[in-house]
Amino acid sequence: MSQQPPVDEYDESSPPAVAGGKPMGFLGHLEELRGTLIKCAVVFALFVTLIAYQMKDAAVLLNWPLEQIQAEYPAMKTDLVTNTPMGVFTVIINICLMGGVILSLPLWLFFLGQFVAPALTKKELRVIVPTGLAAFLLFLAGAAFGYFLLTPSTIRVAFELNELLGYTIMWTADKYYSLLMWMTLGMGAAFEFPLLVVLAVYMGLIEVKTLRTYRRHAIIVMFVIAAIVTPTPDPLNQCLFALPLIVLYELSIWVSAFIGRRVGKE
């Protein structure tokens, strides 16, 4: 009985990591990673420079959540102030960091995709573009949620409590922009949670059945995280933080089950 030569099952589905058509070693991968990080840093620096050039317009845009609540409480003086010589520099850094991250994210995802693509199988390559697009859209959705809803609600609660206790509001600009950056970038990162769950199911690290079994535990964990992360102790903001995560968790279960059925048919 003749023996057939062994067939490499990865010939078509798992191309080797190459650069210029040649296999890459460990140092080659490090060089590629270095190039990717440099491109990410250059893009970030360019956007930060652009925002610094348009600093006044950027500050006006970022003041929108505060101004919306100010209009509801005209009797309360709420002009932002700086109380240290370096306070204004902290404001500028926060504005540049916030805008630089949001504007650079699409290109960061593109560069990251370029870096990891040679090491992926054809099956994995089919999901890299949808994954990158989903990551960007989820981040934008989370940042928008933090900017348009969570930050104004936090400021409204703070206004009401200060009015109740008869305090005069004198907020420093650096504290306000730090709060805004935490709300927008933090919620943008939090909204990536369902994508991580879907990828874990797709890679076989966890099963949909497990997600369903521990649903109640996950909800409790989300409320605990909300209580720790939200800057105010009121239940409203904690619910505003936790409820979107719960909805996204349920959505990730549904998407994971759908992908699991599709993969099973292939």
Side-chain angles (χ1 to χ4, degrees), residues 76-77 158-159 161-170:
M76 300 188 71
K77 181 177 176 60
F159 270 38
L161 292 177
N162 277 277
E163 188 177 43
L164 175 66
L165 298 176
Y167 295 152
T168 299
I169 294 179
M170 188 174 293

Side-chain angles (χ1 to χ4, degrees), residues 20-42:
K22 297 180 179 180
M24 294 175 56
F26 177 72
L27 294 180
H29 285 298
L30 286 181
E31 185 64 26
E32 284 291 311
L33 177 60
R34 174 176 172 272
T36 300
L37 294 177
I38 289 176
K39 288 188 288 187
C40 291
V42 169

